[in-house]
């Protein structure tokens, strides 16, 4: 989640904490002893990280001070208690990932309109690009793809700073997840493979709420929750190159079940070259607006525990 040092750094250079052995113990408790003992142990684990990770605490507090008045109509009365709840929501999401890939039957719900849109996108045979974020639990959606022979997904993400959890996921579930493509290693051959995946009716999933790994990556400052924040241009460049339907995909926890939201965003199939720059600018602003709506509706499920706004640069 964070690092022990106080100086802000690029999110991808913030190494995850903990050990595979410790994580596997938690998974064993969850699967062998049930939810209640696991929940009891999880509280202590989260409390440990809450105490030991000052950078993550400050980043969480900054975010919550921005979003809570928009969500609840007033600033948080007990900010640190709310930060702890934010950490707890993150801990729960990690175990939800394991449950999803372990084949545990989860209560996943879609509104009628979202289900109709998803079914039409899958059965239409055109494939497409899915814009996601680090809000909610996208692994639930990825696990859904494992239950449908006609739903094929490739995920673009940075996984080098999450090797322990990925190792845990494979060992604990004994199942392979979706195809993952490192965003820091995209080559022309990779782009061609992604285009072929879409041409074959598959989908490419990419998060558009974290700046590129490279220090010179292209970003654009956009107003987000009341202050400018850098957002990556890469996903929207990719959208113009792949020339395909584009969707937004989200999954949030609501009590004891998850709700998937799948909505059409745009279509670049017939976008002219001269229109690309204007389209990217408008599309990025619409995406940031969509992300803000997700955060306002479910503020504790945005999992970016690092300094996000320019105001945090020291």
């Amino acid at each position: 989640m964070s690092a022990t040092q106080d100086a802000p750094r690029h999110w991808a250079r913030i190494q995850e904490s903990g050990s595979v052995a410790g994580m596997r113990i938690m998974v064993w408790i969850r699967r062998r002893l049930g939810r209640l003992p696991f929940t009891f142990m999880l509280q202590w684990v989260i409390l440990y990280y809450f105490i030991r990770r000052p950078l993550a605490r400050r980043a969480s507090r900054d975010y919550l001070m921005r979003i809570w008045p928009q969500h609840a109509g007033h600033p948080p009365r007990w900010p640190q208690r709310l930060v702890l709840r934010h950490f707890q929501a993150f801990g729960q999401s990690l175990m939800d990932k394991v449950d999803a890939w372990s084949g545990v039957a989860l209560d996943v719900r879609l509104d009628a309109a979202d289900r109709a849109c998803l079914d039409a996108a899958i059965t239409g045979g055109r494939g497409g690009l899915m814009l996601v974020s680090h809000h909610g639990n996208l692994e639930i959606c990825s696990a859904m793809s494992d239950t449908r022979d006609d739903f094929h997904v490739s995920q673009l993400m940075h996984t080098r700073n999450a090797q322990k959890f990925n190792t845990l996921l494979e060992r604990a579930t004994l199942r392979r997840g979706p195809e993952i493509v490192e965003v820091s290693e995209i080559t022309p051959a990779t782009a061609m493979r992604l285009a072929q995946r879409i041409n074959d009716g598959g989908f490419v999933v990419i998060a558009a709420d974290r700046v590129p790994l490279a220090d010179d990556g292209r970003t654009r400052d956009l107003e987000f929750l009341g202050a400018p924040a850098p957002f990556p241009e890469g996903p929207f460049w990719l959208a113009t190159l792949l020339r395909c339907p584009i969707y937004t995909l989200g999954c949030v926890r609501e009590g004891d079940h998850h709700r998937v939201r799948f909505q059409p965003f745009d279509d670049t199939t017939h976008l002219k070259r001269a229109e690309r720059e204007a389209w990217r600018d408008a599309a990025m602003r619409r995406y940031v607006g969509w992300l803000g709506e997700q955060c306002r509706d479910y503020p504790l499920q945005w999992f970016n525990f690092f300094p996000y706004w320019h105001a945090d640069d020291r």
Side-chain angles (χ1 to χ4, degrees), residues 33-294:
L33 302 183
R35 180 172 293 275
L36 187 60
F38 163 75
T39 301
F40 176 78
M41 289 299 300
L42 180 64
Q43 299 304 312
W44 289 102
V45 172
I46 294 301
L47 182 61
Y48 168 82
Y49 285 111
F50 177 80
I51 294 172
R52 291 290 303 274
R53 298 295 178 261
L55 176 61
R57 287 201 311 272
R58 288 199 301 272
S60 172
R61 189 180 189 278
D62 180 28
Y63 159 70
L64 291 170
M65 294 298 289
R66 296 176 187 273
I67 193 62
W68 206 253
Q70 300 183 39
H71 169 72
H74 58 78
R77 295 185 175 90
W78 304 96
Q80 288 303 107
R81 184 179 299 176
L82 194 60
V83 170
L84 180 58
R85 287 177 56 194
H86 195 194
F87 275 60
Q88 291 170 333
F90 178 70
Q92 180 63 62
S93 74
L94 295 180
M95 291 300 105
D96 286 342
K97 299 176 195 292
V98 176
D99 282 353
W101 285 113
S102 298
V104 175
L106 299 176
D107 187 355
V108 180
R109 305 177 186 180
L110 291 88
D111 293 338
D114 294 282
R115 184 178 298 279
C117 182
L118 178 61
D119 288 341
I122 294 174
T123 59
R126 295 186 62 195
L129 181 69
M130 295 183 182
L131 297 176
V132 301
S133 71
H134 292 83
H135 182 277
N137 201 333
L138 267 300
E139 274 70 13
I140 305 298
C141 300
S142 299
M144 288 171 53
S145 69
D146 197 45
T147 65
R148 294 188 60 156
D149 293 335
D150 57 351
F151 189 22
H152 306 291
V153 173
S154 297
Q155 293 187 10
L156 276 68
M157 62 175 58
H158 181 83
T159 57
R160 288 178 178 172
N161 68 328
Q163 290 300 324
K164 291 178 182 178
F165 184 76
N166 292 337
T167 300
L168 165 71
L169 201 60
E170 291 185 7
R171 292 180 180 178
T173 66
L174 301 179
R175 299 171 66 188
R176 282 191 171 275
E179 177 188 11
I180 294 179
V181 179
E182 277 281 353
V183 295
S184 56
E185 298 176 351
I186 292 181
T187 65
T190 304
M192 291 178 62
R193 186 168 82 245
L194 296 176
Q196 187 60 50
R197 166 56 63 95
I198 291 177
N199 291 335
D200 291 340
F203 296 87
V204 174
V205 177
I206 184 169
D209 62 338
R210 285 186 180 175
V211 298
L213 175 62
D215 292 331
D216 59 350
R218 296 177 62 94
T219 64
R220 189 171 302 190
D221 290 346
L222 297 172
E223 192 79 5
F224 179 56
L225 302 184
F231 283 85
E233 293 186 0
F236 301 91
W237 280 90
L238 184 63
T240 60
L241 294 176
L242 293 178
R243 301 177 67 83
C244 64
I246 307 169
Y247 306 91
T248 55
L249 176 65
C251 179
V252 294
R253 172 178 272 274
E254 293 182 339
D256 58 355
H257 67 271
H258 291 84
R259 183 167 300 280
V260 172
R261 294 176 170 178
F262 184 84
Q263 299 172 335
F265 182 81
D266 214 324
D267 192 330
T268 58
T269 302
H270 304 294
L271 185 68
K272 298 178 181 178
R273 183 179 297 272
E275 300 172 339
R276 290 181 180 179
E277 179 61 28
W279 180 88
R280 281 191 291 267
D281 181 70
M284 290 185 69
R285 295 180 188 279
R286 283 192 289 125
Y287 171 83
V288 172
W290 170 80
L291 177 60
E293 290 179 3
Q294 309 306 304

